Amino acid sequence: WKSIWNARRMCAAGGHSYATAELKPTEISQNVSLTDGATRSELNIWKVTTTQPFTTSSGDYLSVLLSLWIPRYGWTIILPIAICAAVGFVYDPRFLLIALMLLFIVVPMLMSFLYTYYMLTPEARRAVIRKQVEIDENNFIRLIYLSDEKKENAESGKSVAQRTLLPIASEEERAPLPPLPVPDPETIQWSEILSVRSTSRFRVYILKGSRLTFLLIPWDALRPASATSCSD
């Protein structure tokens, strides 16, 4: 977009010349350079919401996963059990035994497979790591991973923990394990987000992918006061 100059006047003021320009409203909505090097962020228009640091447990992730998975694929479990039960009541009672076997043997095995398929993935680890999120609506979501808060507080209680060790423990046995590395920040483009849903505790961003992947942000971490301008 080119700016439309409605008026241009030159005036001498202390040996400096100044130019005035009037911009179209559509120009401001684009992230392009404006007059005198001004950008949209400098005009205090671009707003980014930054959450407070938070963590989500694997149980929270699993509960949201089931609430999303069952409406989509739950019929594949319920339908065979219902058919066997109906045939057992009408024609052959032995099908009732098959329905019970499906319910108490096959379904638990399927749930363990789902746990392995969805929970032991890099996407699930990304969801439960302590982090801070920057949200720019319709543009991107940036994940800034942080170190574990429990590990940060471990040093303060180190002396207490050492007093509780058994006398037979040697110095080598008391050596702590090296901490896991904190992943690099990650940016999710808005085009990778399929939909946004809300639960009683979380805002859920459902992402594209071969698996059912999503991002959880607790409502407690989203506060109106955290919405700040990029120009601040």
Side-chain angles (χ1 to χ4, degrees), residues 42-215:
E42 293 173 349
L43 293 177
N44 199 23
I45 295 177
W46 186 17
K47 296 289 185 178
V48 174
T49 300
T50 303
T51 68
Q52 296 183 356
F54 66 91
T55 56
T56 52
S57 64
S58 58
D60 295 332
Y61 188 85
L62 180 61
S63 62
V64 175
L65 174 64
L66 291 178
S67 66
L68 296 175
W69 190 89
I70 291 177
R72 292 186 181 186
Y73 309 107
W75 63 271
T76 59
I77 298 176
I78 299 175
L79 186 60
I81 297 176
I83 291 176
C84 291
V87 173
F89 279 113
V90 176
Y91 298 104
D92 191 345
R94 289 177 293 183
F95 278 91
L96 292 176
L97 180 60
I98 297 176
L100 293 176
M101 292 174 61
L102 291 175
L103 180 61
F104 294 105
I105 299 178
V106 177
V107 172
M109 295 176 60
L110 180 61
M111 291 296 104
S112 62
F113 169 76
L114 291 178
Y115 185 89
T116 305
Y117 184 76
Y118 286 106
M119 299 296 292
L120 302 181
T121 59
E123 293 82 3
R125 180 175 181 267
R126 175 181 64 186
V128 299
I129 293 179
R130 184 170 178 261
K131 57 184 169 292
Q132 194 171 16
V133 181
E134 295 178 355
I135 305 173
D136 183 8
E137 294 288 343
N138 301 321
N139 286 298
F140 65 86
I141 294 179
R142 182 174 175 82
L143 308 179
I144 303 173
Y145 299 105
L146 307 173
S147 58
D148 193 357
E149 190 175 15
K150 295 180 180 179
K151 292 180 180 178
E152 293 177 356
N153 298 331
E155 293 297 330
S156 61
K158 185 176 181 180
S159 59
V160 178
Q162 288 178 345
R163 289 197 299 267
T164 60
L165 291 175
L166 294 177
I168 60 175
S170 62
E171 290 294 333
E172 291 77 12
E173 293 173 340
R174 290 204 301 260
L177 295 175
L180 294 175
V182 178
D184 296 330
E186 181 181 358
T187 300
I188 300 174
Q189 299 298 328
W190 205 263
S191 58
E192 302 178 30
I193 300 176
L194 293 176
S195 61
V196 182
R197 299 187 181 183
S198 299
T199 66
S200 59
R201 296 177 54 197
F202 301 100
R203 178 188 289 179
V204 184
Y205 292 89
I206 302 177
L207 309 177
K208 291 181 180 179
S210 58
R211 307 180 187 214
L212 184 58
T213 58
F214 50 88
L215 174 66

Side-chain angles (χ1 to χ4, degrees), residues 18-33:
Y18 299 88
T20 58
E22 183 176 348
L23 301 175
K24 294 187 299 182
T26 54
E27 242 187 296
I28 301 179
S29 62
Q30 305 293 330
N31 189 18
V32 295
S33 296

Side-chain angles (χ1 to χ4, degrees), residues 86 88 137 185 202 223 230 232:
E137 294 288 343
F202 301 100
R223 296 183 180 179
C230 291
D232 293 341

